[in-house]
């Protein structure tokens, strides 16, 4: 490596934005060879991709990542350098024909069925069903899991924030700097938007996904100004008359006038902060949203902000609002709102009482719930670390399980009943009640007829014999559509904005008690009587000899 | 979007592996414009990048991500489409000259000093010091943070696993499927290796970073075989004689013979599992490492594995070992080891007692500590979710603070003393005792002479007046080197393997009580007397009027 050149071993999970097929676990490749070597090239398999537990101690999950899975299938192909690398790391005695076989592999014989992206989904109900040649279907496992797991976790997390914040509060994702790597941050911005956020601070995410991008300035902007002398240009042209206004004179005059109203002495306020806010206002007269907690919200920031906002008003511009990044957010937001209201009344500027208050200090679901209880006047939350790293539970546990091979069902038994897989090629239906709420998700064998509206259907717990009930659906939704088959996309994935809408419309079909933050009611996932018997017959056939399990 | 084409709005944090400058918060751009507009184009700033608290309730952190930061500086440039996008999202009244200014921006006037990548580092001591034009230095903030935060967090996490596992156990990273997105997984594999892991299951990480790649097979491989009829080819050529061996006959014969030794009936063992293991052994006779917990480790997996391993031995091959992915890992590993030892003794095959035992079920630091206490016989841990998502603390809180502008120091005050920044352009030294252990990290003003070996130096707590002590260093390490200046790399970053060695050698300089898992002793970070007085004079000058804080 020369002194001036950096190494070229760069991190690239994606080449031209497409996830590469080597982004997988080695054992997928070694299994592929063992299958190939055992003459299983023509075996046909069915795999289910599903999770066992909802994240965040909740009772629902949002499914996301489907579009990226389809792109991955579309571009699945080992390059020459991939093959070369595999030849290098696998044992010498691998038959060379295997590499020729790998080189020609594509997803043309794969069929992928999925639930619509953006839907609420539940444990055990497969999100994806992959059918096709055993070797290829197996090779897709790790990459599909990595594409679905984080996307769904992130969309779910964002949807939960949206629920606790309510519809009338804006939510902005501010987490890039704390995200798990550059692409972790980009995925977080994308799927936070899908889950219900209104925008992001991440410019690249805005450019790539057409997500609204938001942001103003940091504390360092404020501390880079020490005194009023640090402001070089004080002139702003009036929005309508285009006359020159002196923002410095106006701001100082307003600061003096309002200091008595809000009971703070101008001597207490920082002149450096005032200089910074004036500079920002001159640069963004139509978008003046100022950080007010660099020194002291009450004794400096609010006074300086209001002074500059009123000066801007003299120049024909309306300020946007403030951001508070520390301290007691409930108290400070109430203080700020009442200050704005006082000024609105005193100077007959009704819009001043509606200025936006953004809060952004280490906020999580619990903080918002607590602020709601205390009563706050915040219009917008900027949320970082807790959102983008899903701090409360940083991984979703989707698994990818073989459920059928060459038409024969497969069951994975476990001493932990929760880990027993539901075997065979299945369909899933969501049954709705007369009030429009989803009642239950029902898994059936694919050979069974679909449930019919108005006709009772027996829904059983998959493992507990006594738990069963008849349900009469008012609406039946078949959950799977074929998105990929015969080497191509069958249904184009929807644009991000529509997936985002789907999240909200799908959540609306859930009863409130299933969605609530504290002790939510579990949503029921059942199997048909036929599937129940199928599972348990197969279980018996595979039961170990010699011990009770 | 046509029915067959997927959208092109792809996730790409990196173009050709290089992080793009738009991967930043919008407020960096809006601040840049406000600075530009206020005539601050020629202002010169110093920023420190540091963290305030060690992660994982520990008392040390590993610094990583430097190479990626240098690549980012080297390639920092807004493309035409970036500029076009910024024009689109910023207000209409932005002066067009600003975009021309942005278009020409590079890092040619930036100077980056850093601690060596792979070093142990501590709170408050800057990892990076960025000097140069205020606007450019500010624009680098978010991206540098996102590159350092996760890399350092991950390397630290991995180093902690290495410490609890000890030197004689192998550690493999198996987390790709649960990582935070594709690139989150790739970064995790890279920095887990840096932190002390021996390999990864992630093939792409292996290819890109030359990390050993490991893996065998999954449960689905085992369940894809039901009976002995599912094995089509049973022939393996002897390693030396090249005679044909019938693995099926040999394995069945061995299973019968050893069943009495290990007290399990062959009827209890799964024939499907035996078929799967034989197939795998035929494919990888030199690399036979088998998953043994698909049905029952004790009653099926171990017996089948030993039978196939002994059959392989008849063919001139030595098996590698087993992987256990569920159950009581301490008990099962002890059982497996004693089974291997019995067979080794019975059949005079001493190497059989040394077969590798890999464990891989939801393992974290505490699991390993608990297994150590119980006594286990595991040679290798495969670690996924907890490692790659840093579940215990999924974000490191590095910040980027302005400490000087145009030669004038800047201090960020806060009612929380822990958040007060240490102002000015500083140097950092690590002072070592006679026994080779690091005693203390000392921050000084850059104008001060470096501490001298054998001469006492007064080290003070930055904020508590009474906490101070004289230290007489036996060795003094100047922590910063200039890695980037005059538009180029000054010191090429070391290859990954050397960074990995640096982690271990740097950790060896720390006393054991600082590294221990439970209640570690904090390592001391001090300031010189000169810097202490400098901080507190500046603090006083900036103290708010009118209240005690």
């Amino acid at each position: 490596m020369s002194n001036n050149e950096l190494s070229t071993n760069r991190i690239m999970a994606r080449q031209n934005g497409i996830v590469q097929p080597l982004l997988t676990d080695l054992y997928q490749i070694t299994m592929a060879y063992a299958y190939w070597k055992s003459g299983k090239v023509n075996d046909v398999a069915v795999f289910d991709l599903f999770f066992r537990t909802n994240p965040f101690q909740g009772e629902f999950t949002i499914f996301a990542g489907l579009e990226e899975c389809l792109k991955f299938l579309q571009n699945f192909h080992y390059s020459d350098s991939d093959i070369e690398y595999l030849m290098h790391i696998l044992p010498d005695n691998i038959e060379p024909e295997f590499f020729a076989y790998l080189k020609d592999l594509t997803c043309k014989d794969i069929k992928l069925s999925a639930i619509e992206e953006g839907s609420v989904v539940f444990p055990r109900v497969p999100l994806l069903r992959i059918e096709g040649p055993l070797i290829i279907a197996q090779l897709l496992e790790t990459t599909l899991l990595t594409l679905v797991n984080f996307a769904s976790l992130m969309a779910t997390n964002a949807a939960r924030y949206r629920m606790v914040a309510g519809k009338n509060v804006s939510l902005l994702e501010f987490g890039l700097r704390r995200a798990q790597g550059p692409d972790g941050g980009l995925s977080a911005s994308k799927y936070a938007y899908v889950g219900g956020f209104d925008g992001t601070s991440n410019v690249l995410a805005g450019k790539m996904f057409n997500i609204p991008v938001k942001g103003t300035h940091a504390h360092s902007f404020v501390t880079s100004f020490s005194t009023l002398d640090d402001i070089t240009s004080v002139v702003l042209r009036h929005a309508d008359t285009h006359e020159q206004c002196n923002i410095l004179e106006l701001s100082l005059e307003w600061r003096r006038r309002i200091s008595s109203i809000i009971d703070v002495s101008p001597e207490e306020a920082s002149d450096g902060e005032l200089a910074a806010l004036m500079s920002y206002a001159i640069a963004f007269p139509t978008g003046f949203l100022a950080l007010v907690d660099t020194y002291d919200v009450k004794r400096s920031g609010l006074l300086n902000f209001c002074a500059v906002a009123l000066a801007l008003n003299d120049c024909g511009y309306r300020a946007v609002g403030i951001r508070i990044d520390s301290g007691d957010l409930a108290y400070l937001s109430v203080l700020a709102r009442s200050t704005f209201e006082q000024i609105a009344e005193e100077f007959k500027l009704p819009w001043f009482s509606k200025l936006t208050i953004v809060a952004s200090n280490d906020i999580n679901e619990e903080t918002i719930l607590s602020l709601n209880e205390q009563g706050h006047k915040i219009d917008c939350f900027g949320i970082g670390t807790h959102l983008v790293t899903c701090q409360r539970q940083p991984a979703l546990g989707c698994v990818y399980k073989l459920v059928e091979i060459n038409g024969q069902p497969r069951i994975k038994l476990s001493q932990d009943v929760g880990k027993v897989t539901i075997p065979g090629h299945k369909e899933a239906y969501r049954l709705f009640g007369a009030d429009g709420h989803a009642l239950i998700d029902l898994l059936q064998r694919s050979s069974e007829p679909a449930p019919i509206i108005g006709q009772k259907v027996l829904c059983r717990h998959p493992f507990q014999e006594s738990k069963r009930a008849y349900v009469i659906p008012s609406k039946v939704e078949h959950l799977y559509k074929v998105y990929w088959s015969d080497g191509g996309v069958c249904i184009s994935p929807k644009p991000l904005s529509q997936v985002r809408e789907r999240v909200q419309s799908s959540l609306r079909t859930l009863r409130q008690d299933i969605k609530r933050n504290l002790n939510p009611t579990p949503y029921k996932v059942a199997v048909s009587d036929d599937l129940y018997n199928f599972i348990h017959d197969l279980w018996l056939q595979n039961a170990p000899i010699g011990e009770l399990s």
Side-chain angles (χ1 to χ4, degrees), chain A:
Chain A
M1 204 150 52
S2 87
N3 259 10
N4 297 313
E5 291 262 322
L6 292 163
S7 79
T8 51
N9 62 348
R10 298 152 170 174
I11 290 196
M12 267 190 293
R14 305 163 197 261
Q15 196 104 39
N16 297 322
I18 302 298
V19 171
Q20 300 183 47
L22 279 200
L23 190 76
T24 188
D25 293 310
L26 179 64
Y27 78 2
Q28 309 294 2
I29 315 273
T30 51
M31 278 193 277
Y33 179 62
Y35 282 139
W36 182 87
K37 178 89 181 154
S38 333
K40 284 176 166 289
V41 169
N42 295 317
D43 281 20
V44 174
V46 182
F47 285 88
D48 284 348
L49 187 151
F50 63 96
F51 59 90
R52 298 187 182 110
T53 318
N54 290 300
F56 314 121
Q57 296 172 294
E59 292 295 347
F60 73 90
T61 299
I62 302 292
F63 168 49
L66 177 58
E67 187 197 9
E68 295 196 67
C69 292
L70 295 173
K71 277 186 210 163
F72 171 62
L73 295 193
Q74 194 165 46
N75 293 279
F76 185 93
H77 167 66
Y78 295 105
S79 69
D80 290 345
S81 92
D82 290 346
I83 299 286
E84 206 174 298
Y85 179 69
L86 291 175
M87 292 174 99
H88 168 65
I89 58 168
L90 290 173
D92 290 339
N93 51 4
I94 299 282
E95 297 181 32
E97 291 79 6
F98 173 65
F99 295 109
Y101 166 81
L102 281 188
K103 193 151 174 40
D104 288 340
L105 271 191
T106 68
C107 288
K108 71 179 166 49
D109 300 320
I110 290 289
K111 182 167 158 185
L112 178 145
S113 309
I115 296 179
E116 185 178 342
E117 187 164 9
S119 301
V120 283
V121 290
F122 304 97
R124 300 188 172 287
V125 180
L127 310 175
L128 303 181
R129 184 181 59 213
I130 312 288
E131 303 165 67
L134 170 63
I135 295 181
I136 307 171
Q138 178 70 64
L139 282 170
L140 302 176
E141 175 180 22
T142 306
T143 321
L144 292 179
L145 285 172
T146 201
L147 289 173
V148 169
N149 266 328
F150 186 56
S152 299
L153 184 74
M154 190 65 228
T156 307
N157 201 20
R160 294 178 62 89
Y161 276 91
R162 169 52 67 203
M163 287 195 320
V164 297
K167 284 178 195 166
N168 301 324
V169 169
S170 288
L171 292 176
L172 302 177
E173 178 270 308
F174 279 0
L176 177 57
R177 63 189 62 195
R178 302 285 167 81
Q180 298 208 339
D183 193 51
L186 212 47
S187 302
S189 302
K190 179 179 181 182
Y191 293 106
Y193 182 67
V194 164
F197 271 56
D198 298 292
T200 178
S201 64
N202 183 339
V203 187
L204 190 60
K207 183 182 177 195
M208 282 164 46
F209 309 124
N210 197 23
I211 300 173
V213 192
K214 304 283 179 186
T216 55
H217 63 83
H219 293 114
S220 59
F221 184 81
V222 177
T223 56
S224 76
F225 294 79
S226 303
T227 69
L228 293 175
D229 295 335
D230 286 342
I231 182 165
T232 50
S233 158
V234 297
V235 173
L236 179 66
R237 289 195 177 270
H238 192 282
D240 308 315
T241 66
H242 302 290
E243 276 170 47
Q244 291 200 351
C245 306
N246 184 316
I247 284 283
L248 176 61
E249 280 173 16
L250 290 168
S251 297
L252 284 173
E253 169 65 17
W254 276 113
R255 189 161 82 164
R256 199 188 49 72
R257 278 181 71 184
I258 58 178
S259 66
S260 60
I261 300 171
I262 67 180
D263 193 25
V264 176
S265 144
E267 283 76 45
E268 292 184 43
S270 160
D271 283 350
E273 184 180 52
L274 185 67
L277 299 197
M278 288 187 294
S279 291
Y280 200 77
I282 290 169
F284 296 100
T286 59
F288 181 57
L289 196 150
L291 186 57
V292 295
D293 70 332
T294 304
Y295 300 106
D296 187 308
V297 175
K298 191 174 174 183
R299 294 174 184 277
S300 184
L302 266 182
L303 180 66
N304 282 331
F305 166 77
C306 291
V308 178
L310 289 163
L312 270 183
N313 182 59
D314 291 340
C315 307
Y317 296 99
R318 284 190 185 177
V320 174
I322 59 169
R323 178 162 74 93
I324 307 171
D325 190 43
S326 59
D328 180 334
L329 298 175
Y331 165 73
L332 292 173
S333 68
V334 169
L335 173 76
R337 181 67 67 212
S338 87
T339 302
F340 297 157
E341 285 167 351
Q342 276 177 285
I343 289 175
E345 197 179 309
E346 183 76 22
F347 302 108
K348 309 282 176 252
L349 297 168
W351 59 270
F352 212 97
S353 68
K354 308 282 185 207
L355 284 167
T356 297
I357 300 174
V358 182
S360 60
N361 180 32
D362 212 20
I363 289 163
N364 60 23
E365 259 186 270
E366 279 60 43
T367 321
I368 298 176
L369 286 168
S370 158
L371 286 167
N372 289 348
E373 259 174 44
Q374 294 172 71
H376 67 79
K377 297 291 182 182
I378 296 162
D379 303 294
C380 175
F381 290 103
I383 305 178
T385 316
H386 292 280
L387 174 71
V388 302
T389 66
C390 299
Q391 193 139 17
R392 195 169 168 188
Q393 181 184 323
L396 181 64
C398 279
V399 295
Y400 187 85
K401 294 291 175 191
L402 180 71
V403 293
E404 190 180 287
I405 186 161
N406 298 329
Q408 298 301 308
R410 283 294 180 275
I411 189 166
K412 163 85 178 75
L413 297 179
S414 170
Q415 281 163 355
D416 173 2
V417 146
K419 289 193 163 186
V420 172
T421 58
I422 300 182
H425 191 290
K426 301 172 291 290
E427 296 296 338
Y429 300 91
R430 186 160 294 172
L431 310 186
F432 294 82
D435 63 357
H437 281 136
L439 297 172
I440 199 163
D441 278 12
L442 179 67
L443 290 167
Q444 297 196 155
R445 300 188 64 188
S446 294
S447 51
E448 296 181 67
I452 294 167
I453 291 169
Q455 292 194 9
K456 71 176 181 180
V457 48
L458 183 57
C459 297
R460 304 194 61 166
H461 187 286
F463 304 115
Q464 294 181 35
E465 187 163 14
S466 61
K467 286 195 174 175
R468 49 190 159 185
Y470 283 107
V471 172
I472 301 177
S474 297
K475 187 182 128 194
V476 174
E477 188 185 356
H478 183 194
L479 293 181
Y480 299 133
K481 292 194 180 75
V482 179
Y483 282 86
W484 175 274
S485 95
D486 300 316
V489 174
C490 312
I491 304 174
S492 287
K494 291 186 176 162
L496 215 57
S497 58
Q498 284 180 35
V499 177
R500 184 170 183 267
E501 281 163 23
R502 169 71 184 172
V503 172
Q504 298 307 319
S505 66
S506 189
L507 276 170
R508 275 194 294 275
T509 65
L510 278 202
R511 282 203 326 266
Q512 187 51 39
D513 59 313
I514 296 167
K515 292 183 281 190
R516 72 183 166 213
N517 185 276
L518 192 66
N519 296 327
T521 311
Y523 178 85
K524 287 195 177 53
V525 172
V527 298
S528 66
D529 195 47
D530 196 3
L531 180 53
Y532 180 90
N533 292 321
F534 182 69
I535 297 168
H536 292 271
D537 287 352
L538 205 62
W539 194 334
L540 202 61
Q541 286 168 34
N542 287 273
I545 297 167
E547 61 167 350
L548 272 179
S549 70

